[in-house]
Amino acid sequence: MSDIKILGIESSCDETAASVVLNGREVLSNIISSQIDIHTLYGGVVPEIASRKHMERIDRVVDKALKEASLDIKDIDAIAVTYGPGLVGALLVGVSYAKSYAWALNKPLVGVHHIKGHICANYIENKDLKPPFMCLVVSGGHTHLVRVADYGEYEVLGRTRDDAAGEAFDKVARVIGLGYPGGPKIDKVSYEGDPAAIDFPRAKIADNEYDFSFSGLKSAVLNYLNSLQMKGLSYEQADVAASFQQAVVDVLVGHSMAAIDEYGVKDFAIAGGVASNSHLRTAMKAACEEKGINFYMPSPIYCTDNAAMIAVAGYHEFMAGNTADLSLNAVPALKLE
Ligand code: KG4
Ligand code: ZN
């Protein structure tokens, strides 16, 4: 078969992104227009502002992605777009744009699940990675332990019962005065703190050992800060950050290793914004090495939201014949089957 070029479009949260990927592995362009500066002013993503910014930027972002790939839109085989999960107004911008483009140019349209996109980011730099493998997806909205049986076949073994891992990072960062975006700031400041300074809880779920819960940990951090405040004592920001992060990393590594043991997998990958956390990357790599498991992780730029991962996931949907028609709509709470 000839080369397949997919244009990927991503606008589910606060990144407006477009990318062209060749044959589901080779990134020809990867344009990301981040809105972090604007949302930082409000301490988190403001959905209405995110949608408006996507509207302002999407045209130029897509043009730039095609230009950098030295391609004309006519050379593209299909247009892949994130249709969920995410912020409805933000998703609608990408979906409407992709639908208009596909209709005007008579190109196939592919709807992509954002979480599948995160998982597929692993195929970009790890040319030898193929299903079956296991993947931990940790992002701002999701924490999923997934068995990837085939390119289009996903089985969720565990998920969070409350907050997502990234959400916990962002909330704790806010209460200890680090601000938004919390994950990268906690990652950095933790190098100056002691991860064993405070013994925060590592939650276990009784009826599914692969499910996660981070709300108790978040409350434990709040209680710790309040109890010191009531005594008129101050806290060590770096110690709280490092100890909180260690609790998250321990749970993520612990659940992953238990699933690896039970399912006897040989290949393990991480994905999503929190997968760019340097401490998690080091700990997970060491734990996999100890078990003799092949460990995969995307570069940080492919962990946080991007459209290259959407083009890769779109490639596999397209090859499987899963194209969408113009009734494609945004699905904010789209489930991973
Ligand atoms: O995957 P992503 O870009 O967007 C979603 O799909 O949610 O993930 C964003 C999340 C945010 O919660 C952010 O704080 C977190 O990923 N994150 C990190 C790091 N970089 C981003 N968390 C921990 N350490 C990091 N270095
Ligand atoms: Zn994401």
Side-chain angles (χ1 to χ4, degrees):
M1 196 175 205
S2 63
D3 285 341
I4 301 290
K5 299 174 211 80
I6 307 283
L7 169 67
I9 297 176
E10 157 64 38
S11 70
S12 66
C13 191
D14 60 345
E15 263 95 25
T16 319
S19 162
V20 180
V21 173
L22 178 67
N23 297 330
R25 295 267 175 183
E26 196 187 330
V27 177
L28 303 183
S29 63
N30 185 32
I31 309 300
I32 304 167
S33 173
S34 172
Q35 306 175 4
I36 277 187
D37 291 357
I38 305 154
H39 298 291
T40 299
L41 303 173
Y42 303 94
V45 177
V46 183
E48 178 67 25
I49 294 176
S51 313
R52 284 168 186 268
K53 290 292 156 194
H54 287 311
M55 280 295 286
E56 283 171 20
R57 296 174 180 188
I58 194 157
D59 209 22
R60 270 174 294 159
V61 168
V62 171
D63 278 353
K64 206 167 168 198
L66 289 168
K67 206 166 170 202
E68 264 192 27
S70 303
L71 292 171
D72 187 87
I73 184 67
K74 292 191 186 67
D75 305 321
I76 296 295
D77 293 283
I79 300 167
V81 63
T82 306
Y83 73 108
L87 303 169
V88 67
L91 287 165
L92 275 171
V93 176
V95 168
S96 309
Y97 192 89
K99 275 162 67 169
S100 317
Y101 233 52
W103 177 75
L105 294 146
N106 200 21
K107 296 283 179 192
L109 175 71
V110 181
V112 173
H113 191 297
H114 184 78
I115 303 300
K116 292 182 186 173
H118 273 303
I119 295 171
C120 287
N122 276 287
Y123 298 133
I124 296 170
E125 295 155 301
N126 304 304
K127 308 293 180 202
D128 58 325
L129 178 64
K130 289 186 184 69
F133 63 95
M134 194 175 289
C135 187
L136 173 76
V137 193
V138 269
S139 73
H142 304 271
T143 306
H144 282 102
L145 193 54
V146 182
R147 213 145 66 107
V148 184
D150 206 337
Y151 284 107
E153 228 181 292
Y154 303 85
E155 183 195 351
V156 180
L157 304 178
R159 65 182 83 228
T160 183
R161 296 284 179 99
D162 37 61
D163 290 353
E167 209 174 341
F169 268 95
D170 293 336
K171 286 178 180 168
V172 167
R174 196 176 308 150
V175 296
I176 61 173
L178 284 171
Y180 177 85
K185 292 191 171 166
I186 288 187
D187 191 344
K188 194 163 167 227
V189 84
S190 289
Y191 284 101
E192 288 146 37
D194 174 8
I198 310 139
D199 187 21
F200 288 130
R202 276 87 169 141
K204 276 202 161 77
I205 308 289
D207 57 347
N208 182 357
E209 61 170 317
Y210 304 126
D211 274 355
F212 303 88
S213 167
F214 295 106
S215 72
L217 171 59
K218 188 185 65 191
S219 304
V221 173
L222 280 172
N223 290 342
Y224 173 80
L225 299 177
N226 288 341
S227 68
L228 286 180
Q229 201 185 12
M230 274 169 11
K231 291 178 205 149
L233 301 170
S234 62
Y235 63 90
E236 208 48 65
Q237 188 190 53
D239 282 347
V240 179
S243 301
F244 157 78
Q245 181 182 252
Q246 191 59 51
V248 176
V249 169
D250 284 351
V251 167
L252 296 177
V253 174
H255 281 44
S256 302
M257 293 308 121
I260 285 171
D261 284 346
E262 183 175 337
Y263 291 90
V265 293
K266 292 192 174 54
D267 297 302
F268 180 77
I270 55 174
V274 181
S276 62
N277 182 274
S278 62
H279 308 262
L280 176 65
R281 291 165 86 84
T282 307
M284 204 64 101
K285 186 165 183 273
C288 285
E289 267 169 17
E290 203 174 297
K291 283 192 184 297
I293 300 291
N294 300 314
F295 176 61
Y296 299 89
M297 56 184 168
S299 292
I301 192 69
Y302 295 125
C303 285
T304 43
D305 286 350
N306 65 90
M309 67 184 200
I310 302 305
V312 176
Y315 168 82
H316 293 292
E317 298 286 357
F318 180 62
M319 296 310 272
N322 296 331
T323 52
D325 61 28
L326 294 179
S327 67
L328 182 70
N329 202 351
V331 184
L334 185 64
K335 292 263 177 303
L336 189 64
E337 63 264 46

